[in-house]
Amino acid sequence: MADNSLNPKLTPLKWILGSWKGDGEGGYPGSKDKDPLHFLYTEMLTFSAPNSAKPVIAYDQKTISRDGTKKMHAECGFYRVTGDDGQIEANIAQSTGIAEVQKGSVKDDGKTLLLESTVVANAEKVKAIHRSLKYDAANDQLVILTSMEASGHPMTQHLSTVLKRV
Ligand code: HEM
């Protein structure tokens, strides 16, 4: 029989569970040999908690170009509640080969998960990644901002997406 119960430690993250789809915009500063980046995409992602015995959420994401013709980035991993103090750890594998460990927590508003990388492995250009996932309850939307310290630039936003539950 299906186990539909939620591990109690996941209650603070209940708002993130489900499948989401939305439009995003990406960019990054240029340099003297490179123009600033700008691109548009559509993102689909799922957060699911298939096993109530453990406080673990499975994460699966993919992006396509906004005109729908081209597959872009994809990533997957696990978000875990690691202790009794609300600490959250995410392990994310990117389609580019980068492996990330992120740590953080849900902020006092109860609807914003802020994560900062403690490990960015197998990355040539990327030194650190910050992720913010904010639930806009009034509109049942998820707003995700991703910043990175890369290619000699300080922490700068690379991606922003607004997703609706599907
Ligand atoms: C470029 C990292 C997610 C699309 C880049 C660059 C880096 C990077 C380091 C080169 C920047 C430069 O030197 O100017 C990352 C990381 C990601 C991520 C760490 C996740 C945390 C995404 C996603 C998309 C995307 C989700 C698509 C929706 C692009 C594009 C470029 C780019 C189109 C420019 C062309 C290219 O280098 O492929 N990214 N990226 N990235 N990224 Fe991302």
Side-chain angles (χ1 to χ4, degrees):
M1 210 166 81
D3 175 5
N4 293 321
S5 58
L6 187 68
N7 185 289
K9 284 190 178 174
L10 291 178
T11 306
L13 277 174
K14 204 173 170 187
W15 47 268
I16 216 171
L17 294 172
S19 292
W20 303 85
K21 183 175 181 183
D23 286 340
E25 185 165 0
Y28 212 63
S31 62
K32 64 174 176 344
D33 351 299
K34 228 188 320 172
D35 291 334
L37 263 179
H38 182 254
F39 53 93
L40 301 175
Y41 59 91
T42 297
E43 177 166 4
M44 288 132 290
L45 57 85
T46 302
F47 287 102
S48 57
N51 175 3
S52 68
K54 303 222 186 245
V56 176
I57 292 174
Y59 165 63
D60 191 49
Q61 181 258 30
K62 62 184 174 196
T63 50
I64 55 171
S65 56
R66 186 74 70 78
D67 65 8
T69 60
K70 200 167 56 126
K71 287 183 182 170
M72 293 179 81
H73 179 104
E75 56 188 37
C76 59
F78 295 97
Y79 284 58
R80 301 183 302 127
V81 176
T82 51
D84 294 324
D85 58 354
Q87 278 299 113
I88 292 161
E89 184 180 289
N91 298 263
I92 298 172
Q94 301 191 13
S95 55
T96 52
I98 293 178
E100 265 175 88
V101 178
Q102 295 271 346
K103 291 193 181 175
S105 58
V106 176
K107 296 299 133 195
D108 290 344
D109 66 0
K111 299 185 189 105
T112 310
L113 173 59
L114 292 184
L115 295 167
E116 296 191 357
S117 58
T118 55
V119 175
V120 176
N122 204 31
E124 211 180 290
K125 297 178 176 168
V126 187
K127 299 278 175 253
I129 301 168
H130 289 181
R131 293 175 180 253
S132 159
L133 300 98
K134 190 177 176 68
Y135 181 51
D136 167 6
N139 298 302
D140 200 25
Q141 287 182 343
L142 190 61
V143 180
I144 304 182
L145 305 178
T146 308
S147 300
M148 62 184 179
E149 194 185 316
S151 309
H153 296 289
M155 190 57 69
T156 306
Q157 189 170 302
H158 183 39
L159 309 159
S160 72
T161 323
V162 179
L163 303 111
K164 285 258 181 219
R165 216 182 274 281
V166 290

